[in-house]
Amino acid sequence: MNRDVGDRLDDVIRACGVIARYVSETDLPEDLVYDAVRMRLVEIGEAVRMLPSAVTRAEPDIPWSRVSLLGERLTRRYFDTTPAIVLGTARVDVPHLCAAARRLRAQQH
């Protein structure tokens, strides 16, 4: 399946929204939230990896190369990640990433 830039940005935006919902739920067990957030971060990493630098250059405050490597790190070096790091990323960094992806998506129309 061939996905364009808009599709990839939509994937990032959607995954960020789901992450925000997961971390705001107080009734879910932390280990379940951790696992769910990790999977969505893997999706984000894959989507960002496929974005052209000509697109991401418009949002220089986002460390796009680090975001794209995040998915790989979470799958291949899973033992190096802790709930504190993953959930901290979800709460602090993901909202900024989402806002940047929304701005980029708006430019695609």
Side-chain angles (χ1 to χ4, degrees):
M1 176 190 301
N2 217 359
R3 299 181 54 75
D4 67 14
V5 169
D7 293 331
R8 301 283 181 184
L9 290 168
D10 288 342
D11 293 342
V12 171
I13 293 164
R14 193 171 19 263
C16 287
V18 172
I19 288 171
R21 193 174 79 235
Y22 290 158
V23 297
S24 69
E25 280 290 327
T26 57
D27 295 338
L28 297 174
E30 187 174 301
D31 61 335
L32 184 66
V33 173
Y34 170 68
D35 288 344
V37 168
R38 279 184 43 214
M39 190 62 222
R40 295 299 178 150
L41 290 173
V42 168
E43 290 175 15
I44 288 171
E46 278 301 298
V48 166
R49 187 174 66 81
M50 301 305 291
L51 292 174
S53 61
V55 172
T56 58
R57 246 188 310 246
E59 290 287 341
D61 291 338
I62 301 296
W64 295 103
S65 62
R66 289 182 61 202
V67 174
S68 70
L69 292 173
L70 182 60
E72 184 176 326
R73 181 181 176 132
L74 289 171
T75 55
R76 294 199 173 92
R77 300 204 41 95
Y78 60 90
F79 49 85
D80 278 346
T81 58
T82 65
I85 291 170
V86 170
L87 297 176
T89 298
R91 290 184 177 106
V92 175
D93 300 322
V94 167
H96 298 292
L97 174 64
C98 190
R102 287 182 190 280
R103 288 189 295 270
L104 292 174
R105 185 63 175 110
Q107 295 171 10
Q108 298 300 306
H109 291 293

